[in-house]
Amino acid sequence: MKVRSRAPLRLGIAGGGTDVSPYCDEFGGAVLNATIDMYAYCTIIDQCEGKVEFEAQDIGKSFSGIPGMQDIAGDLVLHKAIYNRVMEDFNDGNYLSIKITTYSDAPAGSGLGSSSTLVVAILKAFQELLNLPLGEYDLAHLAYDIERIDCGLSGGKQDQYCAAFGGVNYMEFFSDDRVIVNPLRIKQHTLNELEASTLLFFTGVSRDSANIINDQIHAVEDLQKLEGLHKVKQSAAVMKEFILKSDICRLIEQQTSAWQAKKVTSALISNPLIEKISETVIGAGAKSLKVSGAGGGGFMMIFCDPDNRHHIQNKLRQYEGRFFNFHFTNTGAESWVVNH
C-alpha cells in the first residue's frame, strides 16, 4: 500500500512568539496567521523487506534499519520519533516495515513553520495508512507532543495547528495546552489585495530558531521584553479586526509598530542583514515589513503598494536572496491512497 500527504506552510501575520510557553501559559497567547500554497509532502510505502527506511529528499538525508523502536539520535530525528510514537500508541507496538519519503517547498529554519508542518504531513500519511481516528485538533496536538516533548525541540504551538487546519486563523493559546482555533471568513477580494501587497523574500539564510525561542522563553523574566510580547499579542487582535473589515491599508500600517515590538522580545530577531534589507525596501517605498517566524533570517514579508512591487523587487536584486510567489489556501493537511 502506498499513501501520500501534504500539509501547507504558513505566513505568520501577527502575534508570533506569544504561542510559546511560559508566556501563553501565564498570560494567554494570540496569533494571526494564514496558510499558503507551499507544502511539506510525505509518502509512506508499506513494504515487505523487513526494514524501515526514512528519506528526506530535500536535505539529502536517509536512514535504514530494522523495524523496532528507533534511537532518535543523529539525522532525521522527527521521522524516527513519529515512527516510534505511532507504532507504540496506534499500532499496539507492532513496528511495521515501511519507507517514509519526505520533502518540503521551503528549507528548514526559513520561518514558514516547515519542521512542524513536516511532522503534521507525516502524521497525516500515517492516519491514511492506519485509518487513525484523528481530528484536526488531535493531529496538531500529537505533532506538538512529538516535536516538543519526544524530541525536546524548542518552539511554539501555532505551526502544528496551521498545518492541520489550513486557512486564515486567529489562534488563542492558554495554560494546560488549551488551544482555540478561530477560522476567519475573509472575503476573496481582501485576500487578493493582501497577496498583491505582500512580497515574500527569502534572505538566503536559514537559521536555528531554538536560540531565539529560548530567548523568548526567558522574556517573561524581563519587564521590557515582557511588555514587547504584550504588544505583539495586542497587535494580533488589532490586525484580526482590520482583516475582517477588509482594511488592508491599516493592517499594513500596524505591521510597523508590531515589528518594533517583536524586536524588543529578543536581540536575535533582527541582524545587520535584515536591517540592511529593511532600509533598502523602505527607501524604495515599502510601507512595512516583518520576518515570518522566529526571525534571525529566513523569509521576510514586505508590504507595499501593489503598483510598486516590481520597483522594490529590482532594488533587492543586489542581495543573494530570492522572491517566492504564493497564494493563500484554505485547505489544511490532506492525504490519499496512491492506486498504482
Side-chain angles (χ1 to χ4, degrees), residues 122-138:
I122 297 173
L123 286 173
K124 189 68 180 176
F126 269 119
Q127 183 182 29
E128 185 75 37
L129 182 73
L130 302 175
N131 194 28
L132 304 182
L134 299 173
E136 287 92 347
Y137 277 104
D138 304 316

Side-chain angles (χ1 to χ4, degrees), residues 17-31:
T18 68
D19 59 320
V20 177
S21 295
Y23 181 86
C24 62
D25 302 323
E26 296 183 24
F27 303 99
V31 174

Side-chain angles (χ1 to χ4, degrees), residues 124-176:
K124 189 68 180 176
F126 269 119
Q127 183 182 29
E128 185 75 37
L129 182 73
L130 302 175
N131 194 28
L132 304 182
L134 299 173
E136 287 92 347
Y137 277 104
D138 304 316
L139 191 65
H141 184 72
L142 178 59
Y144 175 83
D145 259 9
I146 292 172
E147 194 173 359
R148 305 289 175 242
I149 298 174
D150 295 2
C151 299
L153 301 174
S154 299
K157 294 184 174 75
Q158 68 161 317
D159 297 342
Q160 297 87 355
Y161 288 85
C162 289
F165 281 83
V168 182
N169 293 296
Y170 181 72
M171 298 181 180
E172 299 170 276
F173 303 91
F174 304 98
S175 59
D176 300 322

Side-chain angles (χ1 to χ4, degrees), residues 10 12-20 23 30-33 156 158-159 173 213 216 228-229 232-233 235-236 258 261-262 265 269 290-294:
R10 64 99 183 98
I13 298 174
T18 68
D19 59 320
V20 177
Y23 181 86
V31 174
L32 177 65
N33 49 44
Q158 68 161 317
D159 297 342
F173 303 91
I213 296 295
Q216 290 179 326
L229 283 170
V232 167
K233 181 173 69 173
S235 72
K262 176 94 172 175
T265 65
I269 287 174
K290 71 185 293 291
V291 294
S292 183

